[in-house]
Amino acid sequence: NKSPCIKMSGRGKGSSAKKSVSRSAKAGLQFPVGRVARYLKVGKYATRVGAGAPVYMAAVLEYLCAEVLELAGNASRDNKKTRIVPRHIQLAVRNDEELSKLLGEVTIANGGVLPNIHQVLLPKKTGKEKA
């Protein structure tokens, strides 16, 4: 009566050991929910942190990151480059109205400025070009 699968009593890892699933995987996110939770706790933003707060915050951070990377990727493609550099991030952020408002007081290192020449400084048009 020797069975090949012996069930252990108590809390041992028997034959039916479950593989642990991360909170990021449960939420369908790439950003680390556990790490965000730890930073919220260690940062003393509140005495207690709810279960949903780090999930929500990780989702928001992931969305913002995806949005910036999407626009920066488009900017790099416009400049015929395959790699995103800080200049592309700057162009992406400053050309987007909502991101520019969100990151209005932020300086991006090695970002440069938007190409902009004031109308007064441009050469005057001659009025002889009437068709």
Side-chain angles (χ1 to χ4, degrees):
N1 96 30
K2 288 190 177 180
S3 59
C5 183
I6 300 167
K7 195 98 170 168
M8 299 281 227
S9 61
R11 280 184 52 92
K13 280 201 175 178
S15 58
S16 62
K18 272 189 171 178
K19 191 87 173 85
S20 61
V21 182
S22 68
R23 286 190 279 176
S24 299
K26 283 180 186 171
L29 297 173
Q30 299 301 313
F31 268 52
V33 173
R35 189 176 298 177
V36 171
R38 188 177 78 236
Y39 288 153
L40 283 173
K41 287 174 189 169
V42 170
K44 296 289 182 199
Y45 300 104
T47 50
R48 295 160 61 161
V49 177
V55 178
Y56 199 106
M57 192 168 185
V60 170
L61 289 171
E62 184 175 315
Y63 168 74
L64 284 172
C65 191
E67 192 73 20
V68 170
L69 282 173
E70 170 75 22
L71 294 170
N74 295 344
S76 69
R77 204 180 323 111
D78 294 343
N79 291 325
K80 298 180 179 69
K81 299 280 191 288
T82 55
R83 186 176 293 163
I84 296 173
V85 294
R87 173 69 177 161
H88 301 143
I89 297 172
Q90 173 81 321
L91 291 171
V93 167
R94 300 303 166 207
N95 284 323
D96 186 81
E97 191 182 330
E98 291 176 336
L99 281 175
S100 187
K101 189 177 178 185
L102 178 69
L103 303 175
E105 300 294 317
V106 173
T107 302
I108 296 172
N110 289 335
V113 295
L114 284 183
N116 181 31
I117 303 172
H118 201 279
Q119 285 296 118
V120 178
L121 301 172
L122 292 170
K124 290 176 175 62
K125 297 268 199 295
T126 53
K128 296 174 184 176
E129 297 170 10
K130 285 191 177 179

